[in-house]
Amino acid sequence: MELSPLIITLKTSVLATVVTFFLGIFFAYEVCKLKRFKGLADAILTLPMILPPTVVGFFLLLIFGKRSVIGKFLLQFDVSLVFTWKAAVISAVVVSLPLMYRTTRGAFEQLDQNIIHAARTLGVSERKIFWRIILPNTRFGILAGTVLSFTRTMGEFGATMMFAGNIPGETQTMSTAIYASVQANDYDLAFRQAILLVILSMIFMVGVNFTMTKNKY
């Protein structure tokens, strides 16, 4: 069994999760502070989770394609995103961001606001409140969002197929490789690939759950 889909999947998932981690925390914190248009902002950030992945991939094609404003701008620097590994990373970020955002926002909103009010009364700056109070007290929620995002990126299929394609050795992830194997009627290979993906996901989930349980006690 060729290992390039596994390597591409891991590279894509790790990089996409890193980007999603910071974006998710940023958007969750900013939306929590909003007093107007909070519902609209929440709807926009959650939309990729509701839409079919193929629709998300189609809109990514429209946004970053060679005929789009962004695509034409990037072509001036000889940069093309469509059907590249970068497109696979972007697809993974877009579809996994709502999970990180929603989970982190829920953790922020469940935090006892009296702690924050007390810190402000004592003259603690907003920056220190965020780094020393909010983040440490919501770390398990943030970790849960990170886990969900990572596992979502590992299983991403629809948006990746539409935006990055299924090019062996370049953009072919485990999910798209399984699809290609089934299309070629090679069910034995598809089964081995699927089992490998299940095992990796289980190892990651068990490891994270063990770490969270250990840190709680």
Side-chain angles (χ1 to χ4, degrees), residues 4 16 20 22 39 43 50 59 64 66 94 104 120 137 146 151 173 180 186-187 193 196 205:
S4 63
T20 302
F22 291 105
I50 301 172
F59 280 115
F64 295 103
K66 294 181 180 180
V94 172
T104 304
R120 287 172 179 162
N137 285 283
T146 305
T151 52
T173 60
D186 193 345
Y187 285 86
Q193 291 169 332
L196 178 59
M205 291 294 293

Side-chain angles (χ1 to χ4, degrees), residues 26-203:
F26 171 77
F27 285 126
Y29 183 65
E30 293 299 321
V31 170
C32 285
K33 294 192 301 181
L34 288 178
K35 294 183 179 179
R36 299 178 61 187
F37 306 113
K38 179 179 289 189
L40 178 61
D42 181 76
I44 293 173
L45 290 167
T46 308
L47 192 60
M49 185 170 64
I50 301 172
L51 291 174
T54 50
V55 174
V56 175
F58 174 70
F59 280 115
L60 288 174
L61 277 175
L62 293 180
I63 294 170
F64 295 103
K66 294 181 180 180
R67 297 181 180 179
S68 68
V69 175
I70 297 177
K72 290 178 181 178
F73 174 76
L74 292 176
L75 282 177
Q76 296 179 0
F77 303 94
D78 198 27
V79 175
S80 178
L81 296 177
V82 181
F83 301 132
T84 65
W85 179 70
K86 295 187 253 348
V89 175
I90 294 173
S91 300
V93 169
V94 172
V95 298
S96 63
L97 179 59
L99 292 171
M100 183 67 193
Y101 157 73
R102 295 290 298 185
T103 307
T104 304
R105 181 186 167 186
F108 286 170
E109 291 177 340
Q110 290 176 7
L111 180 64
D112 187 356
Q113 296 301 306
N114 291 325
I115 301 175
I116 298 176
H117 295 325
R120 287 172 179 162
T121 302
L122 294 172
V124 181
S125 66
E126 293 296 323
R127 178 177 296 182
K128 288 185 178 180
I129 288 174
F130 177 75
W131 287 105
R132 297 185 181 182
I133 297 176
I134 296 178
L135 285 186
N137 285 283
T138 58
R139 63 187 183 279
F140 292 116
I142 294 174
L143 180 58
T146 305
V147 172
L148 291 173
S149 298
F150 182 79
T151 52
R152 179 66 183 85
T153 58
M154 286 190 68
E156 165 50 29
F157 174 75
T160 301
M161 280 287 288
M162 290 289 292
F163 187 41
N166 187 23
I167 306 172
E170 293 187 29
T171 65
Q172 188 177 70
T173 60
M174 290 295 292
S175 297
T176 57
I178 293 170
Y179 173 80
S181 299
V182 172
Q183 289 294 100
N185 288 321
D186 193 345
Y187 285 86
D188 290 337
L189 177 58
F191 179 77
R192 292 196 297 271
Q193 291 169 332
I195 289 298
L196 178 59
L197 195 57
V198 169
I199 291 174
L200 286 174
S201 299
M202 285 296 296
I203 291 174

